[in-house]
Structures are given as structure tokens and as C-alpha cells.
Amino acid sequence: MNKQDIPEELKKKLDQFAVETPDISLKKSLSHRIGSWITAPVKNPADYLSIHITPRRMALFPLVIIVSSLPFAFI
Amino acid sequence: MNSNDLEDLFNKYHKQIYQFTYRYTQDETLSSDVVQDTFIKFDKYAENFDPAKSHIRTFLFRIAYQLTMTKLKRKNKLKKLLPFLYETKQSETISLEEKLSVRAALTELPAEQRSVIILFYYHDLTQHQIAEIMQIPVGTVKSRLHHALKKLKQLLEADDNE
């Protein structure tokens, strides 16, 4: 298969994905990498809590603590 | 290899490697890291390169491809362990305009098909060179390319109809 075999319509679409190359140095800078990692966007922790802690789970939380601490009462 | 030769090589190929990695991962930081690591690794293993067997460009792409796969695997493991450190999946936040783009269509392709189409279309590599980079038979490259083009066409046509 050659590039010419690709339909023109599809070629036009593929050409829309242009990539700008940022300034990259040959030397690896650890501080720059750590900086990039720290400043990289992260998920909002509040979103994480809202997904995983439902009202039902919150209601069950004290019960879980009581049940899990029961064995200590017999020590 | 002396530092001047390495720098010349870097100046000649770093853009291509960045563009390949960025189109594949759509992650700027990871792509820049892959570019730097590719040349560091090349410098370290330059004696393994045989100009009679392979072209320098193919050799560099092979290193970059392997590094990208390793970094993505590592990233996915960390994502599973510490999900709160990573942003929600890109597809969830993609706008309507973005949905119509080839960028979004490429992320819909299976990883192995995505790399083949990027190397073939954007980097003008032959099927033999792609096979060498990905360490797979030429027949597999042909079939992945065929399926990738078919799926891309479907995805982009479907978006046009929406």
C-alpha cells in the first residue's frame, strides 16, 4: 500500500493534526522533569471523593469502625 | 560518538521523534522526555547500530517507540495505584469541536494500529521500516494499516454525519 492509495478526504483530515515542537534540549535536566511533573494538571481530589464516598458509604463508615474494633475489646 | 555528532543527530531528528510520540500519546511532557531519553540511549548503545542493516532514522524511531511503550506502561501502573494524581480521561472532557477532529479519532484506534498509521502517514516510513521499528512481521504491519485506515475512515465519516 502507498500513501497515494489513501482517499483524498481522509488525507485532508489527517493533515489537520499538525504538531508544534517545543524547545527541547539534548541534556536531560532532572530539576526540569520534576518541575514538569509537579506542575502537571491533576484530577481534583474533591471529584475523587465525590465518586468514591457515597452517602450510603458515609453512613456505614461508623459501623465499619465499630465492627473492626470489636476484636480489640476481647484482648 | 562525540558530542558534536550527537548534537547534529539531535537537531536533525528530534522534531520527528517528538511529533511521532506526541501524536501517539497526546502528552507533551511524556513526548519531550521520550525525545531526550532516545538520544541518551542512542549515545549509550551507539556501538549496536549497524548502518549496513538499518537506517539511523529507523534505529532512532525504534528506540523512541520502545521508550514510549515502557513509559506508558509505567504511567498506567501509577495511574492504577494513585488515580487521584491523574486528570480524568481526556475523552470525557473533549469538546464537541474536538470530537470531530482526527486527533480524537486517532485515540479511538487500538494502540498497535495507531502507531502504524502515524509512522506510515506522517513519517513516510515504508512497511518494512515500520516492521523493523515495531519488531513485528511485515504482514502484520499491512493488516494493521488496512484496519487502521478502515476504522479511521468510519470514525471520521460518522463524525461528519453527526
Side-chain angles (χ1 to χ4, degrees), chain B residues 128-143:
Chain B
H128 279 90
Q129 287 170 325
I130 298 170
E132 200 187 320
I133 291 164
M134 295 178 67
Q135 301 280 284
I136 52 172
V138 181
T140 312
V141 173
K142 278 182 188 168
S143 89

Side-chain angles (χ1 to χ4, degrees), chain B residues 28-150:
Chain B
E28 269 181 54
T29 314
L30 191 140
S31 307
S32 300
D33 289 350
V34 167
V35 170
Q36 286 177 324
D37 290 349
T38 299
F39 289 91
I40 289 167
K41 204 170 174 184
F42 176 78
D43 191 30
K44 204 173 166 186
Y45 299 104
E47 70 272 12
N48 293 352
F49 172 63
D50 181 0
K53 280 184 184 171
S54 153
H55 190 272
I56 188 97
R57 184 172 173 238
T58 316
F59 192 69
L60 287 169
F61 265 101
R62 194 174 142 189
I63 297 174
Y65 177 74
Q66 286 169 346
L67 285 169
T68 307
M69 295 304 123
T70 312
K71 280 182 189 291
L72 280 179
K73 271 184 201 162
R74 209 179 292 155
K75 194 181 169 184
N76 288 336
K77 271 186 194 166
L78 198 65
K79 211 173 182 175
K80 275 183 192 165
L81 282 171
L82 307 165
F84 48 88
L85 279 180
Y86 290 90
E87 260 190 320
T88 39
K89 215 182 157 204
Q90 234 182 354
S91 59
E92 289 168 23
T93 51
I94 279 174
S95 66
L96 187 67
E97 232 173 87
E98 193 72 349
K99 266 186 184 169
L100 301 172
S101 74
V102 68
R103 182 191 277 253
L106 276 173
T107 60
E108 294 286 316
L109 289 180
E112 64 278 1
Q113 288 178 15
R114 198 187 321 149
S115 44
V116 170
I117 189 83
I118 294 171
L119 290 169
F120 177 78
Y121 187 77
Y122 295 104
H123 298 281
D124 293 320
L125 288 160
T126 65
Q127 292 171 4
H128 279 90
Q129 287 170 325
I130 298 170
E132 200 187 320
I133 291 164
M134 295 178 67
Q135 301 280 284
I136 52 172
V138 181
T140 312
V141 173
K142 278 182 188 168
S143 89
R144 283 182 187 177
L145 192 58
H146 173 77
H147 290 296
L149 284 169
K150 200 176 158 188

Side-chain angles (χ1 to χ4, degrees), chain A residues 3 13-15 17 43, chain B residues 23 37 86 121-122 124 160:
Chain A
K3 218 170 157 179
K13 293 255 182 184
L14 285 166
D15 290 338
F17 192 0
K43 193 177 172 179
Chain B
R23 282 193 179 103
D37 290 349
Y86 290 90
Y121 187 77
Y122 295 104
D124 293 320
D160 276 344

